[in-house]
Amino acid sequence: MKSDVMKSGYQRSPQRSLLFAMGLTREEIERPLVGVVNSFNELIPGHVHLCQLAEAVKAGVRIAGGTPVEFPTIGVCDGLAMGHDGMHYSLASREIIADSVEIMAMAHALDALVFIPNCDKIIPGMLMAAARLDLPCVFVSGGPMLTGKYDGKEMDLNSCFESVGAFAANKITEAELFTIEENACPGCGSCSGMFTANSMNCMTEVLGMALPYNGTVPAVDAGRIRLAKEAGMKVMEVLAKDIRPSKILTSAAFYNALTVDMALGCSTNTILHLPAVASEAGVSIDLDMINEISENTPNLCKLAPGGHHHLENLHRAGGLPALLKNLSDIGLLDTSVPTVTGKTMAENIVNAKVLDPDVIRNKETAYSQKGGLAILRGNLCVDGAVVKKSAVAPEMLQHKGPARVFDSEDAAGEAIFAGRIKPGDVVVIRYEGPKGGPGMREMLGPTSAVQGMGLGSSVALITDGRFSGATRGASIGHVSPEAAEGGLIALVKEGDMIDIDIENGRMELLVAEEELAKRRVAWVKPAPKFTKGYLGKYSKMVKSASTGAILEK
């Protein structure tokens, strides 16, 4: 056992003494030490219940003959951080999470790990740590929130953000706004749509790092507690069989994940996180590969914000195993890949069945014969940009309009709420990229305001920052190179025409090269917004969104 270097032999008597000080028995000390990485805190609705799951995991570890040792990680609630300086820290926290897990696991010579994430950056941060450490491990997330319901309508967090725009446009009353906010999020769990948290929990299951149904069992369902116990027991089997992330996180596994990503219509943030995790695993993900996969993958599910179904609907319809079975039947997955169950994907899904063909469709009844995400190229995004195609109104798949240019999310939001954005406009929000932001602030406020004010089918938004997984509409993010690095988005002027062709994967600034050359000579690189603290360091080290916003090695 790896932990023997810390606890075995006469030389380690002092270390054993410290373990005895925590109430461990000699028998417990002699067993494998399994780290239980709990991201519980009292600031994230998706995490407030994780201590109960941690206890279930620890029970499972003990049942299977191990000794669980729990330790925490930080976590940022994107919803609470949205719309102010706090959002600069969200993406940046991913690296701290990965580093902190590495520190704890290596400093204490742990034999295996069970990860308990649930929301946005915590999941990929833990996946990055798992790939980096290559210790036997299993993931079990906190599970999705139930869907909010009021007056016969289903709601989620996005309903609140869009109601802000509706209120600003005098479409709803203050009383209606208050009613929506009180009913949209009915309890603990990751926000109920196919937003970033649920997207990444589903990707973790598809990658083979979590047990079947991990991505969809509701947070308040007793099945989630059973799943946590099973994860605790399973990690001991994974340890005994020496099943490590390096055996699971292969090129084939990431190809499968991207395929399911397209079939589900996941958050655009997966195009930041999957490449970052792959980088830690020594696997390269090229953005153009995403379009190739999308071209051949039907969009089989339309979950909020792209449709009216939520995660609880997906679970009742058969969960990810049923979706994987459909994709496997049409030859789009490599089901020979290993998983933490100790079985291949094919073995895991052999008995899976679609229980609601409207929620999980097949190739013939697919919402679209192409996937839910698209990578755009063009002079405005030479290194790529991403859009959730499945959540774009059909009339906005091709759009040409004048640029309305803003050097921050705050300025853009002010203009939208003030009614200064008109049908046909292309809102350009820049200096919000990995370096320029720094941290690529999510912009659910501006995008939701556009939807709530009735402009979703006539206004496009483009940014070198990113959008929430809850965003819908022609919202194009991750424009690379970013403005702070001298990307063409930095040279756009008010009124310039921008041509967006999502169907054909193109986005062009329609300005003559001679004029652009003049603008480039006149452009002055802005001073960094943060020079001290973590963000000061982060902005110096972070790379382009096209790399997954990973740090310089």
Side-chain angles (χ1 to χ4, degrees):
M1 292 184 293
K2 180 180 174 65
S3 60
D4 284 345
V5 301
M6 181 181 71
K7 65 186 186 183
S8 294
Y10 73 89
Q11 303 97 328
R12 295 295 181 248
S13 179
Q15 284 85 350
R16 289 194 296 275
S17 179
L18 292 171
L19 294 173
F20 281 129
M22 293 186 289
L24 295 181
T25 66
R26 191 170 298 277
E27 183 182 27
E28 286 177 303
I29 294 171
E30 290 172 352
R31 292 174 175 175
L33 295 182
V34 178
V36 178
V37 193
N38 185 4
S39 55
F40 161 80
N41 66 46
E42 294 182 343
L43 280 165
I44 309 179
H47 291 233
V48 293
H49 63 305
L50 295 190
C51 286
Q52 183 182 23
L53 294 185
E55 290 303 317
V57 167
K58 289 188 283 186
V61 171
R62 293 188 184 103
I63 288 169
T67 297
V69 284
E70 181 181 344
F71 63 89
T73 66
I74 62 166
V76 171
C77 177
D78 282 21
L80 292 176
M82 198 84 65
H84 59 90
D85 277 352
M87 183 46 77
H88 290 294
Y89 290 87
S90 177
L91 180 60
S93 73
R94 187 183 71 183
E95 317 305 321
I96 293 288
I97 292 163
D99 291 348
S100 67
V101 174
E102 176 191 352
I103 289 167
M104 291 295 288
M106 295 302 293
H108 302 104
L110 299 179
D111 295 300
L113 298 166
V114 178
F115 292 91
I116 312 176
N118 210 32
C119 291
D120 298 62
K121 285 357 127 275
I122 297 93
I123 308 157
M126 288 186 175
L127 282 168
M128 290 164 70
R132 185 186 304 171
L133 291 165
D134 202 29
L135 290 172
C137 64
V138 177
F139 279 68
V140 58
S141 75
M145 186 184 291
L146 293 179
T147 309
K149 296 176 178 66
Y150 175 74
D151 195 24
K153 298 178 181 178
E154 293 192 337
M155 296 187 295
D156 51 46
L157 179 64
N158 199 33
S159 306
C160 292
F161 276 97
E162 292 191 2
S163 69
V164 172
F167 177 72
N170 296 315
K171 293 178 180 290
I172 61 172
T173 66
E174 186 176 52
E176 289 173 310
L177 177 66
F178 289 165
T179 299
I180 291 169
E181 69 185 50
E182 289 172 355
N183 289 276
C185 299
C188 67
S190 48
C191 295
S192 59
M194 190 52 77
F195 311 149
T196 305
N198 289 324
S199 294
M200 286 307 301
N201 280 325
C202 288
M203 292 298 98
T204 303
E205 181 178 336
V206 177
L207 283 169
M209 295 297 291
L211 301 180
Y213 303 102
N214 174 71
T216 58
V217 178
V220 296
D221 195 309
R224 180 60 58 177
I225 297 173
R226 293 194 298 272
L227 193 68
K229 288 179 183 175
E230 290 167 7
M233 290 185 283
K234 184 59 69 173
V235 77
M236 297 304 296
E237 180 184 328
V238 166
L239 175 61
K241 293 181 177 178
D242 196 32
I243 300 173
R244 297 174 182 266
S246 57
K247 298 178 181 178
I248 295 173
L249 296 174
T250 62
S251 296
F254 283 102
Y255 195 95
N256 285 343
L258 288 168
T259 299
V260 177
D261 195 339
M262 300 306 146
L264 279 174
C266 289
S267 164
T268 53
N269 285 315
T270 59
I271 308 305
L272 285 175
H273 299 320
L274 287 175
V277 177
S279 177
E280 292 284 356
V283 175
S284 176
I285 292 180
D286 182 85
L287 290 185
D288 291 326
M289 183 174 75
I290 293 165
N291 275 348
E292 293 170 12
I293 294 173
S294 182
E295 190 72 20
N296 298 309
T297 305
N299 183 200
L300 303 184
C301 300
K302 257 195 184 300
L303 288 86
H308 63 278
H309 297 137
H310 289 80
L311 265 291
E312 62 186 270
N313 303 112
L314 180 59
H315 184 63
R316 286 197 296 267
L320 288 178
L323 175 64
L324 295 175
K325 188 73 162 54
N326 271 8
L327 291 170
S328 173
D329 287 346
I330 55 179
L332 293 178
L333 297 177
D334 179 351
T335 58
S336 69
V337 294
T339 73
V340 293
T341 65
K343 302 176 181 178
T344 64
M345 179 188 286
E347 292 173 306
N348 288 340
I349 65 174
V350 65
N351 295 317
K353 182 179 179 182
V354 174
L355 303 176
D356 188 337
D358 185 44
V359 177
I360 303 175
R361 299 192 174 189
N362 57 37
K363 182 173 175 60
E364 290 69 36
T365 60
Y367 288 100
S368 166
Q369 292 304 315
K370 295 183 181 180
L373 300 181
I375 301 298
L376 308 185
R377 298 279 189 179
N379 66 351
L380 200 48
C381 49
V382 174
D383 293 337
V386 63
V387 62
K388 183 183 274 196
K389 183 178 176 181
S390 60
V392 178
E395 56 268 39
M396 290 299 292
L397 291 173
Q398 292 184 313
H399 179 77
K400 184 188 294 185
R404 306 298 308 281
V405 183
F406 304 94
D407 287 347
S408 70
E409 173 193 358
D410 313 85
E414 182 183 339
I416 293 167
F417 283 117
R420 300 203 301 271
I421 302 303
K422 306 300 180 185
D425 287 347
V426 177
V427 177
V428 178
I429 307 174
R430 62 192 181 191
Y431 297 107
E432 292 286 5
K435 286 184 177 292
M440 298 185 79
R441 289 193 290 175
E442 282 190 348
M443 301 184 193
L444 187 53
T447 60
S448 297
V450 165
Q451 295 292 332
M453 297 177 80
L455 297 171
S457 60
S458 61
V459 168
L461 293 94
I462 69 171
T463 182
D464 54 6
R466 62 195 178 96
F467 295 114
S468 164
T471 291
R472 61 190 177 103
S475 301
I476 300 163
H478 310 187
V479 171
S480 302
E482 63 175 290
E485 291 287 274
L488 193 61
I489 191 172
L491 307 183
V492 180
K493 289 189 175 182
E494 190 82 5
D496 286 349
M497 294 300 292
I498 294 176
D499 188 10
I500 299 168
D501 186 350
I502 295 172
E503 286 283 22
N504 293 298
R506 302 295 297 173
M507 184 165 66
E508 301 281 344
L509 176 64
L510 304 181
V511 175
E513 286 297 327
E514 296 80 4
E515 172 61 21
L516 292 177
K518 294 177 184 176
R519 294 182 189 181
R520 187 165 298 283
V521 170
W523 179 72
V524 178
K525 185 180 178 70
K529 295 174 185 175
F530 294 85
T531 57
K532 298 179 180 179
Y534 179 57
L535 288 179
K537 292 185 288 186
Y538 178 83
S539 63
K540 292 177 182 177
M541 298 173 66
V542 69
K543 298 174 71 173
S544 167
S546 62
T547 70
I550 61 175
L551 299 186
E552 294 282 358
K553 300 295 184 184

